[in-house]
Amino acid sequence: MPLTDTTIRNAKPTEKPVRIFDGGGLYAEISPAGGKLWRLKYRIDGKEKLLALGMYPDVGLKDARERRDEARKLLANGVDPGAHRKAQKAAKAERSANSFEVICREWLEQRKDTVEPSQHVKTLARMENDVFPWLGAKAIAEITSPDVLGVLRRIDERGARYTAHRVRSEISRAFRYAIATGRADRDPCPDLKGAIPAPKAEHFAAITTPTEVAELLRAIDGFRGTFVVKSALLLAPLLFVRPGELRSAEWSGFDLDKAEWRYLVTKTKSEHLVPLASQAVAILRELHELTGNRRYVFPGRDPHKAMSEAAINAALRRMGYDTKTEITGHGFRAMARTILHEELHIKPEVIEHQLAHQVPDALGTAYNRTKFLKERQTMMQQWADYLGKLKVGAEVIPLNGQAA
């Protein structure tokens, strides 16, 4: 007789497993411990086999019958339902192993040692917040351009257009990694060129007029924060390197006797040399008394780590500056580029080399850290002297904009 739900529910365990049959090979097996497992007995190629269909009551009588009927349809077509299930599980496991999230995390981990720690953290956060919830579980080879576009539009619609473009680039790089490792055939991201409008150009806030620079320098002199942060503030306009390169500077790169700082530019992976003006050397020698026995010139709260990337901007805000509209740690570069050219009439190519920008010459040769070295040494000292005069108000700025 076919089973009823009441029969199954009231079935009691005994010392040995008990089977109660429903028909068509389906039965419930009650274990001595009281568990009730649905099983299907079937024959294929002359062999009798069993297929587990789930536990009762998680799988009710109706669901168990439906699973039995699905299995019998496979048998009618010559397919072993047990082997079919194993193939499905294997395919699911393969899809999971080749999911976008698994491969993207693998790519991020693989490049971790070649990017700034903060960049790794930010990229991972963007993926976890904006990409993985929608694409993470999908097999990377099955992701289409519309799938990616849906992710980008969600980001763009919340007003983060720049982030949307950045995420498209990062998704594309994850796909290229998948292609290189044999787990995808193509990158769908190039198909989306123009699908999200280009973001408006954003420039780092910077102070570029001599009178305002003078006020800023005096404000830095009056800063009442820690000695390490104040030293970084004093050096930022003198050196005008990228904020991340300044805060993560290591003493091993400095030769104060030669008045030089050498380091690897993270953006271009090229060696860079910064000639140090006498004013910068004096600040560094004083700071060396405090942090010279450590790795980092500007250690953070944890002495084994560099100063926080937010420290300079936080200090500028404490001094009353708006880091969105007036000046940021990165803005010292624009300050130097503008005034060196417009007020001190330094050749643009010399300035660009000191900014560690890739500047091909007439022969197409890329950036060389020693090129214009004598000119740059002179420029850096001239720049430091100029800032010193601005700070004390001794530099006269005529109406025609020429420094006297």
Side-chain angles (χ1 to χ4, degrees), residues 162-192:
Y162 177 80
T163 299
H165 281 269
R166 186 159 195 147
V167 166
R168 184 179 79 93
S169 174
E170 290 163 345
I171 291 174
S172 182
R173 277 179 276 171
F175 265 95
R176 293 200 296 272
Y177 175 78
I179 293 169
T181 54
R183 288 171 288 182
D185 296 323
R186 68 180 299 271
D187 173 10
C189 294
D191 297 340
L192 301 176

Side-chain angles (χ1 to χ4, degrees), residues 69 85 97 227 256:
D69 294 343
R85 175 182 290 178
F227 183 70
L256 297 183

Side-chain angles (χ1 to χ4, degrees), residues 373-391:
L373 182 55
K374 289 184 178 179
E375 292 96 327
R376 288 191 284 134
Q377 288 171 333
T378 300
M379 178 186 73
M380 296 300 276
Q381 187 60 57
Q382 187 179 356
W383 172 242
D385 293 341
Y386 176 82
L387 292 180
K389 291 178 182 179
L390 277 184
K391 183 169 62 175

Side-chain angles (χ1 to χ4, degrees), residues 3 7-8 10-21 27-39:
L3 293 173
T7 302
I8 304 166
N10 293 336
K12 304 297 182 185
T14 63
E15 293 181 359
K16 295 182 178 181
V18 175
R19 297 176 177 180
I20 51 177
F21 290 84
Y27 65 88
E29 182 173 287
I30 297 90
S31 72
K36 298 168 183 178
L37 173 67
W38 291 111
R39 289 186 183 275

Side-chain angles (χ1 to χ4, degrees), residues 229 247 307-317 323:
V229 173
R247 73 177 186 85
M307 181 174 68
S308 163
E309 63 180 322
I312 294 294
N313 281 351
L316 289 169
R317 287 192 292 270
T323 52

